[in-house]
Amino acid sequence: MNPNFIHTYLSVDCVVFGFDFENKLNILLVQRHVEDIPVEQQKKLPGSLIYSNEDVDDAANRVLLELTGIKKMVLKQFKCFADPNRASNQNDIRWMGEEYKHNIDRIITVAYLSLCRIDHKINSTKYDTVDWHPIDKVPQLPFDHNKIIDESLIEIRKWIDSDFSIIFVLLPKKFTIRQLYQLYNALSEKKIDIKNFHKKISSFSYIIPLDEIETNVSHRAARYYKFDPKIYKKTQNKLIK
Amino acid sequence: MNPNFIHTYLSVDCVVFGFDFENKLNILLVQRHVEDIPVEQQKKLPGSLIYSNEDVDDAANRVLLELTGIKKMVLKQFKCFADPNRASNQNDIRWMGEEYKHNIDRIITVAYLSLCRIDHKINSTKYDTVDWHPIDKVPQLPFDHNKIIDESLIEIRKWIDSDFSIIFVLLPKKFTIRQLYQLYNALSEKKIDIKNFHKKISSFSYIIPLDEIETNVSHRAARYYKFDPKIYKKTQNKLIK
């Protein structure tokens, strides 16, 4: 055997997006434990080595279930991260030694995107601490987790670009156009004027107005809408838009 | 160490698309050699185990260079295939034993898309035989290579959907609208009427008419066009189209 061919561990890491009430994208981070390192410096992305009988999608589903207690979360594999130096930091090697009872100095990870309504109850069976962090206030993380998060932002934009329906996973079942607009603005690189946005949205037959308006609000009460996945599906499948 | 965590080999496999003069998508296959198995049953996707000092993108670039002799081919990672049984066929295990001088019974692969003009000269430094195969006449291949090809078709559609400019990599520098239409039809799931296609295309400022028409053709000579990547870039970056 050519000794130069890699023989290695493989993990999955999950970037779970939520959208908060201050109009910011958030992601879920968990706590790891390494001796002599302050707790606040020990956040990481949820993830796991994969088992020998697992496919990577199964491993990602397992990580999400252990993380949130929610079955069948929306999931999308987006990239394999395999930089030979991604697990070479001494603190990371120490943590892997404690976590997996083994010396590991290279590990390749397959990164996944997922989405979760931010007010959904989190019931982790694996982690003591699971917290939402605004995407613009993510601390320094171990391995290449900051890089994975940076790339996940580009990927979630592409995902919504190719399938606009997944934006509704982050909104309540009934939502106002302002809520949709704010989420869209948080995701988009380019700002869009609210009037143009209204005009555009009103041309989408899959966004259905309800006979219900907001109550107990200080501004003018807005109408609620819902998303219709069946109508959406019929409008898709075009290469040229 | 939990013995159930995978410790494995990792490879890359590349699906290289071309477009032929009979209006069909083609892919590049190579020849492997396993004793007692007829040559025509030994086609496979080009690929390689990755080296211990390589990132997966580097490995894919190496595979493409060894395959075609072309530097800097367009490249897109699209999926990690990790079915625990994907390398369990006895012929595949025998071939890996001969190729890598080692018993390997599980291998995880990261699949890449690439594009190549079909009339480009192929100068492989690694393979004796490199051939274009029409996508609808791909033979039975080893491992899960047929599955990888099936999924690559979905991915190339998504790729063009998210970045229409890459379609021009498959066309000559100057092309007719009929050529673009035929390629588009080969890629799209839905057929589009040629008149509507003309109308749509004429609204794209990045497709520039040239002062040149076809010569030596039996049908009415058509105008040539070229693609302008700078104008294309300016028209992009919208989440809602």
Side-chain angles (χ1 to χ4, degrees):
Chain A
M1 182 70 181
N2 183 331
N4 287 327
F5 285 125
I6 197 177
H7 196 226
T8 190
Y9 294 97
L10 196 82
S11 65
V12 292
D13 284 296
C14 297
V15 187
V16 183
F17 281 91
F19 185 60
D20 73 17
F21 305 104
E22 290 172 352
N23 307 322
K24 278 193 177 170
L25 286 176
N26 283 242
I27 57 164
L28 281 178
L29 296 179
V30 298
Q31 191 76 42
R32 71 174 185 181
H33 301 283
V34 185
E35 264 183 44
D36 310 329
I37 297 179
V39 160
E40 64 276 13
Q41 290 171 28
Q42 291 298 322
K43 299 282 179 186
K44 67 184 276 292
L45 285 175
S48 167
L49 291 185
I50 75 163
Y51 290 114
S52 53
N53 61 350
E54 268 182 331
D55 200 335
V56 277
D57 284 4
D58 301 331
N61 275 312
R62 173 172 58 78
V63 165
L64 288 174
L65 182 62
E66 289 170 353
L67 174 74
T68 63
I70 304 168
K71 286 177 188 168
K72 291 191 187 171
M73 288 178 67
V74 182
L75 184 72
K76 185 185 168 71
Q77 190 197 105
F78 76 92
K79 192 172 171 186
C80 173
F81 289 81
D83 185 325
N85 299 315
R86 63 178 294 278
S88 57
N89 179 295
Q90 283 308 313
N91 287 337
D92 296 340
I93 292 173
R94 267 173 61 207
W95 173 75
M96 289 190 289
E98 286 171 31
E99 178 80 5
Y100 297 118
K101 316 289 177 227
H102 198 77
N103 279 339
I104 299 178
D105 65 349
R106 184 167 179 187
I107 190 169
I108 285 173
T109 203
V110 179
Y112 283 80
L113 289 176
S114 184
L115 307 172
C116 182
R117 246 165 235 153
I118 208 162
D119 52 2
H120 204 300
K121 194 165 162 29
I122 302 290
N123 259 327
S124 179
T125 55
K126 178 175 173 180
Y127 300 102
D128 300 334
T129 312
V130 180
D131 286 319
W132 287 107
H133 287 254
I135 192 88
D136 56 357
K137 285 179 189 160
V138 171
Q140 184 74 29
L141 302 178
F143 304 104
D144 50 2
H145 287 189
N146 290 93
K147 188 181 174 199
I148 292 174
I149 292 167
D150 287 348
E151 296 206 19
S152 75
L153 252 181
I154 299 167
E155 289 300 324
I156 194 176
R157 284 176 187 140
K158 279 192 201 164
W159 194 10
I160 289 174
D161 197 22
S162 70
D163 180 2
F164 194 60
S165 71
I166 63 123
I167 203 169
F168 301 101
V169 178
L170 293 172
L171 286 174
K173 283 237 156 115
K174 51 182 191 182
F175 52 84
T176 65
I177 298 298
R178 177 161 289 276
Q179 282 176 308
L180 178 59
Y181 174 71
Q182 283 161 339
L183 173 53
Y184 179 83
N185 263 351
L187 283 163
S188 179
E189 278 179 295
K190 283 196 174 177
K191 295 295 166 235
I192 181 169
D193 177 77
I194 182 124
K195 271 193 190 164
N196 286 336
F197 186 80
H198 261 285
K199 201 171 152 190
K200 195 91 194 169
I201 289 297
S202 64
S203 73
F204 294 165
S205 55
Y206 51 82
I207 298 179
I208 316 280
L210 300 175
D211 279 337
E212 194 178 344
I213 58 168
E214 291 176 302
T215 51
N216 300 323
V217 287
S218 56
H219 54 81
R220 200 178 66 149
R223 180 175 296 282
Y224 282 117
Y225 289 76
K226 68 168 186 177
F227 167 65
D228 189 317
K230 282 184 194 160
I231 299 177
Y232 176 79
K233 218 171 169 186
K234 280 189 201 154
T235 64
Q236 300 306 302
N237 279 330
K238 281 172 277 173
L239 270 182
I240 297 184
K241 285 165 185 162
Chain B
M1 182 68 185
N2 183 332
N4 287 329
F5 285 126
I6 197 177
H7 196 225
T8 190
Y9 295 96
L10 196 82
S11 65
V12 292
D13 284 297
C14 298
V15 186
V16 183
F17 280 92
F19 184 61
D20 72 18
F21 305 104
E22 289 171 353
N23 307 322
K24 280 193 176 169
L25 287 176
N26 283 242
I27 58 165
L28 282 179
L29 296 179
V30 299
Q31 191 75 43
R32 71 174 185 180
H33 301 283
V34 186
E35 263 184 46
D36 309 328
I37 297 180
V39 161
E40 63 276 14
Q41 290 171 27
Q42 292 298 322
K43 299 282 178 186
K44 66 183 278 289
L45 285 175
S48 168
L49 290 185
I50 75 163
Y51 290 113
S52 54
N53 61 351
E54 269 183 331
D55 200 334
V56 276
D57 284 3
D58 300 331
N61 274 313
R62 173 172 58 78
V63 165
L64 288 174
L65 183 61
E66 290 170 352
L67 174 74
T68 64
I70 304 167
K71 286 178 189 166
K72 291 192 187 168
M73 288 176 69
V74 182
L75 184 72
K76 185 183 169 70
Q77 190 197 106
F78 76 92
K79 191 171 172 186
C80 173
F81 289 81
D83 185 325
N85 298 316
R86 63 178 295 278
S88 57
N89 179 296
Q90 282 308 314
N91 287 339
D92 296 342
I93 292 173
R94 269 172 60 207
W95 174 73
M96 289 190 288
E98 286 171 30
E99 178 81 6
Y100 296 120
K101 316 288 178 229
H102 198 75
N103 279 339
I104 300 177
D105 65 349
R106 185 168 179 186
I107 189 169
I108 284 173
T109 202
V110 179
Y112 282 80
L113 289 177
S114 184
L115 307 172
C116 182
R117 245 165 236 154
I118 207 162
D119 52 2
H120 205 299
K121 193 164 163 28
I122 301 290
N123 258 327
S124 179
T125 55
K126 178 175 174 181
Y127 299 102
D128 300 334
T129 312
V130 180
D131 287 319
W132 287 107
H133 287 254
I135 193 90
D136 56 357
K137 286 179 188 158
V138 171
Q140 184 74 31
L141 302 178
F143 304 104
D144 50 3
H145 287 189
N146 290 94
K147 187 182 175 200
I148 292 174
I149 292 167
D150 287 347
E151 296 205 20
S152 76
L153 253 181
I154 299 167
E155 288 300 324
I156 193 176
R157 285 177 186 139
K158 279 192 202 162
W159 194 10
I160 289 173
D161 197 22
S162 71
D163 180 2
F164 194 62
S165 71
I166 62 123
I167 202 170
F168 301 102
V169 178
L170 294 171
L171 287 174
K173 283 235 155 112
K174 52 182 191 184
F175 52 84
T176 64
I177 297 300
R178 176 159 290 276
Q179 283 175 309
L180 178 58
Y181 173 71
Q182 282 161 338
L183 172 54
Y184 179 83
N185 263 351
L187 283 164
S188 180
E189 278 179 294
K190 283 197 175 176
K191 296 294 167 237
I192 181 170
D193 177 78
I194 182 124
K195 269 191 189 164
N196 287 335
F197 187 80
H198 260 285
K199 201 172 152 189
K200 194 91 193 170
I201 289 296
S202 65
S203 73
F204 294 165
S205 55
Y206 50 82
I207 298 179
I208 315 280
L210 298 176
D211 279 336
E212 196 178 342
I213 58 168
E214 291 177 302
T215 51
N216 298 322
V217 287
S218 56
H219 54 81
R220 201 179 66 150
R223 182 176 296 281
Y224 283 117
Y225 289 75
K226 68 167 186 178
F227 167 66
D228 189 318
K230 282 185 193 158
I231 298 175
Y232 175 78
K233 218 171 168 185
K234 280 189 202 154
T235 63
Q236 299 307 303
N237 279 331
K238 281 171 278 173
L239 271 182
I240 297 184
K241 282 164 187 164

